[in-house]
Amino acid sequence: MASRANHRFLLGFALLCAAALPCPVAGPAKAQSPATLAIAASVPAIATDARLAGDAKQTRFVLDLDKAIKFRAFTLADPYRVVVDIPQVDFRLASGAGATGRGLVKAFRYGLVMPGGSRIVLDLSGPAKITNSYMLDAANGQPPRLVLEMEQVDLAAFNQAAAAESKSGRPAIADANAAVSTPTPAAPMPAPNPAAPPDSRPVVVIDPGHGGLDNGTRSGGEVMEKDLVLGFALALRDRIEKSGKYRVVMTRTDDTFIPLADRVKIARNQSAALFVSIHADALPPHEGDAQGATIYTLSDKASDTEAERLAEAENKADAIGGVNLTEEPTDVADILIDLAQRETRTFSNRFARLLMGEMKNTVRMHKHPLKSAGFRVLKAPDVPSVLVELGYVSNKGDLDHLVSEAWRSKTVGSMAQAIDVFLAKRVAKAGAAN
Ligand SMILES: [Zn+2]
């Protein structure tokens, strides 16, 4: 329990940082100028440009802003990354910014990670340390700039620098991630009220994949998975709520990054009757073409190599968002989890088959529409969970469907129908057992 209290403290710490109150800047940062300290916390700063300079030994990252901001930069391993936590920033960068790298930086991403907090994640080609990080005031026609200087190091030096970073005030890596991964997401977190449960309807958790600095897959054009699946999930929520029989909880309702473990936590804390994660797949160009919707359930062993590839790609979300991949310790005995999980998997599989039965009447399905693999987001031991890949953004026909209002409405209808049939059975069973 001590560690939980600790997490709460760290959460507070992260939120304070996010609110642009004084918090330590890791690394040998220069003293901040008075202009840097005079920060209006209320209006988000606007980022207008980001660029990289240098070579494979020394690389510099520069972010142009309309005003100075507080920041906290640190390195993470496995894979090697630099994470920059900043107050909420309105990113108005050119489309495609960060897609290509330079020097030590392979690529970078940016976006909202919590209300009031944004993050930039730089993917590194190998171990590096932050040699300098500072804000520059506007000067010589240049706007205020956030600057990070990085230098290639060997593994021993990397570990040393990381240890020094955590000593110099930032929480240890695992704790930093816990702090960042626990904030209240857009969806209301449970406020358990044991006296009088205000709403006893079964809860359906709908989980639009990705979000914030994790864009998910991307078609050749401008369409991003995170936007497609959010639109679909919101339409599904509206459809399910119409019947009034179920309460719907969303893991996100806007373009925010939510770590995978937090999505699972939402389902568990809500004692959800069902968890449905919504995604859209893409096949790398050299792997040919595929089309149609696929429904995935959890298994220790992937049903085929494509399922394995996909689970691996989807499980990368945390690394993309800058969160460490360390498994969170569970607070229930393993044996109980095992028992619950077996039953839950039976229900998950039952729902997957039901869903396929409904969807195949209205939607083009993949030639093997039911698959399984080790998706981290499906790991709630006590909540039946499925992940639906609506189609392939890499396939022209599928993409046309995915962006079509008529297709979405049809598909949402068949999913809502399957959810209704599944839950009606469960509710009837529970009633009979009492
Ligand atoms: Zn996805």
Side-chain angles (χ1 to χ4, degrees), residues 361-385:
N361 298 323
T362 46
V363 183
R364 183 161 78 174
M365 301 298 289
H366 187 271
K367 60 180 188 284
H368 306 295
L370 287 180
K371 293 188 183 190
S372 58
F375 293 92
R376 286 167 59 88
V377 78
L378 299 181
K379 285 196 170 165
D382 42 9
V383 181
S385 303

Side-chain angles (χ1 to χ4, degrees), residues 212-252:
L213 65 180
D214 173 14
N215 294 326
T217 55
R218 200 190 265 260
S219 71
E222 293 290 283
V223 187
M224 287 189 279
E225 177 184 1
K226 66 172 182 179
D227 299 328
L228 273 181
V229 298
L230 178 60
F232 187 94
L234 290 170
L236 180 59
R237 174 194 66 184
D238 294 348
R239 184 72 62 100
I240 296 170
E241 278 184 340
K242 237 193 219 163
S243 78
K245 288 193 273 187
Y246 313 109
R247 193 158 66 83
V248 178
V249 173
M250 305 284 291
T251 55
R252 69 178 178 101

Side-chain angles (χ1 to χ4, degrees), residues 209-210 216-217 225 278-281 310 314 389:
H210 314 280
T217 55
E225 177 184 1
I278 309 284
H279 290 257
D281 201 0
L310 182 75
E314 298 291 9
E389 296 283 348

Side-chain angles (χ1 to χ4, degrees), residues 224-307:
M224 287 189 279
E225 177 184 1
K226 66 172 182 179
D227 299 328
L228 273 181
V229 298
L230 178 60
F232 187 94
L234 290 170
L236 180 59
R237 174 194 66 184
D238 294 348
R239 184 72 62 100
I240 296 170
E241 278 184 340
K242 237 193 219 163
S243 78
K245 288 193 273 187
Y246 313 109
R247 193 158 66 83
V248 178
V249 173
M250 305 284 291
T251 55
R252 69 178 178 101
T253 52
D254 58 14
D255 188 19
T256 303
F257 173 77
I258 312 283
L260 296 174
D262 282 12
R263 299 171 192 255
V264 176
K265 225 179 275 167
I266 289 169
R268 298 202 66 202
N269 289 343
Q270 295 281 347
S271 305
L274 187 63
F275 175 91
V276 183
S277 191
I278 309 284
H279 290 257
D281 201 0
L283 219 51
H286 60 271
E287 285 188 22
D289 200 9
Q291 60 179 41
T294 314
I295 301 159
Y296 288 88
T297 49
L298 179 69
S299 74
D300 305 323
K301 206 178 166 308
S303 54
D304 60 33
T305 52
E306 205 202 332

Side-chain angles (χ1 to χ4, degrees), residues 46 93 103 118 120 129 144 152 231 308 331 364 371 386 393 416:
I46 299 167
L93 309 184
S118 294
I120 305 163
K129 70 171 183 183
Q152 185 186 39
E308 197 171 355
D331 48 5
R364 183 161 78 174
K371 293 188 183 190
V386 304
V393 298

Side-chain angles (χ1 to χ4, degrees), residues 291-356:
Q291 60 179 41
T294 314
I295 301 159
Y296 288 88
T297 49
L298 179 69
S299 74
D300 305 323
K301 206 178 166 308
S303 54
D304 60 33
T305 52
E306 205 202 332
E308 197 171 355
R309 167 196 68 80
L310 182 75
E312 220 168 82
E314 298 291 9
N315 289 347
K316 272 195 196 133
D318 283 349
I320 289 168
V323 177
N324 203 357
L325 288 166
T326 322
E327 290 270 357
E328 291 204 3
T330 47
D331 48 5
V332 191
D334 280 356
I335 181 137
L336 289 178
I337 288 192
D338 216 50
L339 280 171
Q341 214 147 33
R342 232 175 290 166
E343 200 201 25
T344 302
R345 285 191 193 186
T346 308
F347 281 116
S348 302
N349 292 334
R350 187 177 298 166
F351 176 65
R353 284 194 301 273
L354 248 169
L355 185 57
M356 186 191 65

